């Protein structure tokens, strides 16, 4: 069954046989007194939001078969959000017509994929001294759209306001998405939603909600604490009705789900819906688009990174699910983290981030995954933070989990990058060893792990073009992303997105005589006139260095274009300084030509002094702010 979105205005229509009291019910609600003489049909009435319990404007429509055609009534049903079918409790024939005529007519007037909620209203209970509710349940079982049944009296005003309030609730807090009347049980979708909510509220991950966690849940959902006496009573009810609903005086998931089932059975749909909506669910029990994807704009030239608040949340999440406290997430623990998500948000590629020997994610690798995802797909990261409860636990939207960097042009003008995540494109001919550099960066060059089939050779498969790790630049931790640019033919031009990066690493094979020519031409064509720093790296340094068949040898070429001398890279030595230089060049983009001054080390030394000074000044400012707060 498909349900429409919750309307901003509730439209109620009253149907039923002539003489059952439809018009009297409307007039009694509005005037708060019974009218002895009523017109055949009441005019449409609008009740302002501020006088309704749910604070929603409500329109009430009366139907009169003597004054309206069947087609006009069908049109009114189509426009309504909820239908009240009224019968007279003292006339059995009016009750019989509900099943034989009115309910089929309502179904026929609604679209096939949407059944509007129906309230069965027994009017004139002042004329009898018994209840007819039991006679209605057979009808309700045959027609699942029947939300509830209510007895009232327009003459004595008994349950009149309650009737219209329940009609509002049937629209705003519909029962059918969350509860199956036939089975007297929560729907599977509702159970799944409540299971996710339970896991989010279980902040220490021990599988139960203790008093502190329940208090936090209560405050955030209902803006008021739960009294200890009430909490004890709730636990007592759960313990009496559900096996294993309470463990060590804490509420289990079974107890939590039972509690909501009990709320609904007692007519308190709004309690469960308040919780569901607090956690982002709409009336179809799907997370809303606005909940998953807050509007975050990334201007041209800027990038997205995790803020301190986002990093803190993800660190706590890692620690919560690292059950054995070994500092890594094994496959079971990783699966548990994302048990309330559509899937694990990244492909399980072993070598893209730091892992242990078994391929398990360390905390460093975990943060690298999220950092890369935030840079490449902010929308996806935002959605998964919502799935995992960031909005609830941080009491904020995901916007606070991210930081949008300033324009790169400003970084160049200010002579220092404000970013913590740098993109390095690794460019070179096939088989020159680009993948070896990435593997070395992750520290797996010598580990005896059988590589995936697509990791052989130069890793030109799109799935294996990125790796990320942390690197320290003058004492500050940064993230460096190495992205291999796949080269099919040396004659193919590079695309703008393949050139644009924070630092470029042009790679050639020192043992292949035609290898350097390719990157020399690449530099002249794409980087010589750009603001992108470039480092030239010669791989396979343990082999015999061959003279390059190019007009300039690598050292002369670098000197001519004021670049650092070629860095000879040997995977067996795992030269970490190459990655430090790449990250430092990205951090100080204005120093594109690092070798343009008195010597290579001159710019590095000055850059280091500047960075250290900025760091010290930052610490001084933080200290001053802390003193002022005290």
């Amino acid at each position: 069954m498909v349900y429409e979105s919750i309307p901003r205005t509730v439209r109620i229509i009253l149907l039923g046989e002539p003489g059952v009291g439809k018009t009297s019910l409307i007039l009694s609600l509005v005037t708060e007194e019974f009218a002895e003489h009523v017109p055949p049909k009441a005019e449409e009435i609008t009740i302002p939001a501020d006088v309704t319990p749910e604070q929603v404007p409500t329109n009430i429509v009366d139907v009169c078969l003597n004054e309206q055609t069947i087609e006009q009534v069908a049109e009114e049903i189509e426009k309504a959000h909820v239908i009240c079918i009224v019968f007279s409790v003292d006339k059995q024939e009016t009750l019989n017509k509900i099943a034989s005529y009115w309910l089929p007519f309502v179904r026929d007037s609604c679209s096939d994929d949407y059944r509007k909620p129906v309230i069965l209203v027994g009017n004139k209970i002042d004329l009898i001294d018994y209840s007819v509710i039991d006679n209605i349940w057979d009808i309700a079982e045959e027609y699942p759209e029947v939300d509830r049944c209510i007895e009232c009296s327009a003459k004595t005003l008994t349950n009149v306001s309650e009737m219209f309030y329940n009609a509002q609730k049937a629209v705003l807090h519909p029962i059918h998405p969350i509860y199956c009347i036939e089975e007297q049980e929560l729907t599977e979708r509702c159970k799944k939603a409540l299971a996710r909510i339970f896991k989010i509220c279980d902040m220490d991950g021990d599988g139960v909600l203790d008093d502190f966690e329940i208090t936090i849940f209560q405050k955030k959902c209902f803006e008021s604490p739960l009294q200890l006496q009430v909490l004890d009573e709730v636990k007592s009810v759960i313990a009496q009705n559900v096996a294993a609903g309470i463990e060590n005086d804490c509420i289990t998931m079974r107890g939590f789900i039972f509690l909501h089932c009990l709320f609904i059975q007692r007519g308190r749909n709004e309690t469960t819906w308040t919780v569901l909506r607090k956690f982002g669910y709409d009336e179809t029990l799907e997370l809303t688009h606005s909940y998953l994807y807050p509007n975050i704009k990334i201007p041209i030239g800027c990038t997205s990174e995790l803020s301190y608040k986002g990093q803190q949340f993800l660190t706590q999440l890692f620690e919560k699910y690292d059950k054995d406290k070994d500092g890594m997430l094994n496959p079971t623990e990783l699966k548990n983290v994302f048990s309330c998500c559509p899937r694990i948000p990244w492909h399980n590629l072993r070598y893209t981030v730091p892992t242990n020997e078994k391929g398990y994610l360390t905390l460093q690798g975990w943060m690298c995954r999220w950092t890369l995802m935030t840079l490449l797909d902010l929308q996806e990261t935002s959605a998964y933070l919502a799935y995992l409860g960031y909005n609830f636990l941080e009491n904020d939207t995901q916007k606070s989990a991210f930081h949008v960097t300033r324009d790169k042009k400003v970084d160049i003008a200010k002579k220092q990058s404000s970013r913590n995540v740098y993109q390095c494109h690794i460019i070179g001919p096939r088989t020159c060893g680009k993948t070896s550099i990435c593997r070395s960066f992750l520290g797996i060059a010598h580990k005896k792990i059988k590589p995936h089939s697509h990791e052989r050779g130069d890793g030109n498969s799109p799935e294996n073009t990125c790796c990320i790790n942390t690197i320290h630049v003058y004492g500050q931790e940064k993230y460096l992303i190495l992205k291999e640019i796949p080269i099919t033919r040396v004659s193919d031009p590079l695309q703008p997105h393949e050139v644009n990066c924070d630092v470029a690493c042009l790679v050639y094979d020192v043992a292949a005589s035609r290898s350097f020519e390719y990157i020399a031409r690449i530099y002249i064509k794409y980087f010589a006139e750009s603001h992108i720093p470039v480092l030239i790296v010669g791989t396979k340094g343990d082999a015999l260095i061959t003279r390059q068949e190019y007009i300039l040898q690598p050292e002369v070429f670098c000197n001519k274009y004021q670049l650092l001398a070629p860095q000879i890279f040997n995977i067996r030595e795992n030269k970490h300084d190459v990655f430090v230089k790449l990250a430092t060049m990205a951090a100080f983009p204005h120093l594109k030509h690092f070798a343009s001054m008195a010597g290579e080390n001159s710019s590095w030394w000055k850059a280091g002094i500047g960075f250290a000074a900025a760091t010290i000044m930052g610490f001084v400012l933080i200290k001053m702010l802390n003193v002022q707060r005290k």
Side-chain angles (χ1 to χ4, degrees), residues 11-61:
R11 189 174 181 86
I12 303 171
I13 183 174
L14 273 64
L15 302 177
E17 295 298 299
V20 294
K22 302 186 296 299
T23 307
S24 294
L25 286 168
I26 297 172
L27 296 178
S28 293
L29 174 73
V30 175
T31 64
E32 296 186 349
E33 61 181 15
F34 179 66
E36 293 292 344
H37 303 285
V38 297
K41 176 179 175 293
E43 295 298 321
E44 181 175 326
I45 292 173
T46 299
I47 301 177
D50 57 358
V51 297
T52 66
E54 296 292 339
Q55 298 295 294
V56 176
T58 302
N59 296 329
I60 302 175
V61 179

Side-chain angles (χ1 to χ4, degrees), residues 114-256:
Y114 173 55
R115 294 178 185 170
K116 299 183 180 182
V118 174
I119 308 290
L120 300 185
V121 181
N123 189 26
K124 304 185 181 182
I125 59 170
D126 56 291
L127 299 179
I128 60 174
D129 56 3
Y130 56 89
S131 174
V132 298
I133 289 292
D134 292 339
N135 300 329
I136 302 175
W137 288 121
D138 291 340
I139 300 174
E141 289 179 4
E142 186 178 352
Y143 291 86
E145 58 265 42
V146 174
D147 185 271
R148 66 188 64 217
C149 311
I150 188 168
E151 295 177 310
C152 61
S153 170
K155 186 172 185 177
T156 63
L157 305 184
T158 304
N159 288 342
V160 173
S161 59
E162 287 80 1
M163 170 203 137
F164 288 99
Y165 172 53
N166 278 283
Q168 272 191 334
K169 283 175 57 176
V171 179
L172 303 174
H173 312 298
I175 190 170
H176 296 295
I178 60 177
Y179 188 76
C180 180
I181 295 175
E182 298 94 324
E183 299 177 7
Q184 299 286 294
E185 185 61 88
L186 297 179
T187 63
E188 290 304 315
R189 276 177 173 257
C190 185
K191 289 179 183 178
K192 183 178 178 182
L194 290 173
R196 168 181 168 261
I197 293 169
F198 180 91
K199 290 174 184 177
I200 291 172
C201 296
D202 179 17
M203 293 182 288
D204 56 10
D206 62 354
V208 295
L209 299 182
D210 59 30
D211 289 359
F212 174 75
E213 291 166 336
I214 294 169
T215 300
I216 296 296
F217 165 80
Q218 178 74 15
K219 282 183 178 179
K220 291 194 174 184
C221 286
F222 303 101
E223 300 180 356
S224 63
L226 196 64
Q227 300 298 320
L228 288 178
Q229 182 180 351
V230 176
L231 180 56
D232 289 340
E233 291 173 358
V234 168
K235 290 180 184 178
S236 177
V237 170
I238 294 173
Q240 291 171 18
N241 290 275
V242 185
I246 300 292
E247 287 183 5
N248 300 322
D249 200 35
C250 299
I251 298 176
T252 66
M253 185 180 292
R254 290 184 65 181
F256 184 73

Side-chain angles (χ1 to χ4, degrees), residues 350-580:
R350 187 180 299 171
Y351 300 140
T352 53
V353 298
T355 63
N356 71 349
E357 291 80 0
K358 295 180 180 179
Y360 299 169
L361 271 181
T362 60
L363 177 58
Q364 182 184 6
W366 165 262
M367 294 305 299
C368 284
R369 286 279 197 193
W370 285 101
T371 299
L372 181 61
M373 187 173 163
T374 302
L375 179 73
L376 300 181
D377 194 343
L378 181 62
Q379 289 285 81
E380 186 81 346
T381 308
S382 174
Y384 272 85
L385 288 182
Y387 288 129
L388 295 167
Y390 180 89
N391 315 49
F392 180 78
L393 295 174
E394 297 298 328
N395 201 27
D396 206 345
T397 70
Q398 302 94 298
K399 287 184 178 181
S400 66
F402 306 119
H403 165 66
V404 177
T405 65
R406 67 190 182 195
D407 193 328
K408 192 175 180 181
K409 293 178 182 177
V410 178
D411 284 345
I412 294 173
K414 291 185 175 292
K415 299 182 178 182
Q416 183 175 325
S417 173
S418 62
R419 304 181 183 189
N420 293 306
V421 184
Y422 306 131
Q423 297 182 73
C424 172
H425 287 184
I426 303 181
I427 304 171
R430 290 175 62 86
T431 71
C432 69
K434 300 191 294 289
T435 301
S436 296
I437 292 176
C438 291
R439 288 170 59 83
S440 179
F441 184 45
L442 295 178
I444 59 175
H446 301 300
K447 293 180 181 179
K448 296 180 180 180
I449 304 176
K450 184 179 180 181
H452 292 236
S453 59
H454 60 258
E455 288 179 341
R456 303 185 188 280
D458 222 22
N460 285 327
S461 164
E463 288 188 283
N464 192 42
T465 58
C466 271
C467 71
I468 179 173
N469 204 347
T470 54
I471 198 85
H472 282 85
V473 178
Y474 293 105
Q476 288 203 351
E477 186 177 77
K478 306 290 183 180
Y479 289 90
L480 181 63
I481 299 168
L482 303 185
K483 181 177 181 180
E484 300 177 44
I485 303 302
I487 304 299
T488 305
R489 295 177 301 179
V490 294
S491 59
D492 289 345
L494 295 181
Q495 300 301 312
H497 70 274
E498 295 176 321
V499 175
N500 188 32
C501 57
D502 296 307
V503 60
C505 179
L506 303 187
V507 181
Y508 73 101
D509 182 352
V510 299
S513 61
R514 300 295 299 271
S515 186
F516 181 75
E517 180 181 3
Y518 174 76
I519 64 166
R521 295 183 184 278
I522 287 292
Y523 177 82
I524 293 170
K525 184 174 181 180
Y526 297 103
F527 294 100
E529 302 300 324
S530 76
H531 292 287
I532 301 172
V534 173
L535 184 67
I536 291 179
V537 175
T539 58
K540 305 179 184 178
D542 55 337
L544 181 64
I545 298 179
T546 302
R547 181 177 179 78
Q548 295 295 312
E549 296 181 19
Y550 184 63
I551 55 175
L552 297 176
Q553 292 304 297
E555 293 80 2
V556 179
F557 181 90
C558 291
N559 186 55
K560 177 181 177 180
Y561 289 98
Q562 299 181 331
L563 301 174
L564 283 177
Q567 308 296 300
I568 305 303
F569 187 86
N570 181 355
I571 193 170
R572 287 186 170 82
E573 294 178 2
N574 196 9
K575 295 186 69 174
H576 190 69
D577 60 319
V578 168
F579 307 117
V580 173

